Amino acid sequence: MSFVPSAFPNVSSSINDGAERESIVNRLKGYVSCKPFVAEFLNWKHFAKPNGMFGIQSRVRSNASYFRGNYTCILGLVLLYCLFQTPMMFYCLLFSSVFFLVVVPRLFPEGRDEIHVMGGRVHLHRQHVVAVGAVVGLPLLIWSSPLQFIFGFCTMAAVFVLPHAILYDPTYHAGAAGELV
């Protein structure tokens, strides 16, 4: 059943064809496969000054698609560094993920919304347990200074990724990608 009105038949057919085009696994392969760091990614001979703002935009777009795996690896390391620099954020994310992904599903298997403890004298509802997790987790999240974490991550990501994306000349990887830049 499609939720697209009949006035837009092309939209519904393109939505159905989208599942056949490319699976999520194929999309993620580009983020996992890294180019050689020393031989290609950090080859200083391939760095040059861009020609104006259009050259910068073109280089960033081309390098972001070509070095997608390398940039993902760098951003993952920056994310880990930022998590360890703000330990309360790390503990907050650890508590939230363990509580909501492990504890709640184990207490309430699929199809159960209520459990009986202490010989049936106490009834725990799923909504109450989730509310306790939110009451504990939200103050932890606020106390862990998420804005500092977000600004630190964005700044470090920009410092590490943008200079490479701007200065690396994409003509060196045009032949390997099979396209002209």
Side-chain angles (χ1 to χ4, degrees), residues 13-28:
S13 64
S14 67
I15 290 173
N16 295 334
D17 294 340
E20 298 171 354
R21 285 189 199 148
E22 192 173 15
S23 68
I24 294 174
V25 174
N26 289 335
R27 289 182 190 173
L28 292 178

Side-chain angles (χ1 to χ4, degrees), residues 25-124:
V25 174
N26 289 335
R27 289 182 190 173
L28 292 178
K29 282 183 183 178
Y31 290 103
V32 175
S33 63
C34 291
K35 307 294 184 228
F37 266 94
V38 178
E40 190 172 355
F41 187 72
L42 296 177
N43 192 345
W44 296 108
K45 296 175 186 173
H46 297 171
F47 286 83
K49 183 180 173 186
N51 298 330
M53 286 302 290
F54 180 73
I56 291 174
Q57 182 183 8
S58 171
R59 282 186 181 199
V60 169
R61 184 179 297 122
S62 177
N63 287 333
S65 66
Y66 186 72
F67 290 114
R68 179 178 18 199
N70 297 70
Y71 293 152
T72 304
C73 180
I74 290 171
L75 292 179
L77 292 173
V78 168
L79 181 68
L80 285 176
Y81 177 77
C82 288
L83 277 176
F84 290 125
Q85 286 298 323
T86 54
M88 275 308 296
M89 179 65 77
F90 176 73
Y91 294 131
C92 177
L93 291 175
L94 183 68
F95 166 77
S96 298
S97 60
V98 167
F99 186 79
F100 290 110
L101 297 175
V102 176
V103 173
V104 171
R106 290 221 181 187
L107 283 176
F108 303 98
E110 198 167 322
R112 290 185 63 188
D113 287 336
E114 180 181 36
I115 60 170
H116 305 285
V117 293
M118 298 178 68
R121 292 181 294 189
V122 178
H123 303 280
L124 289 176

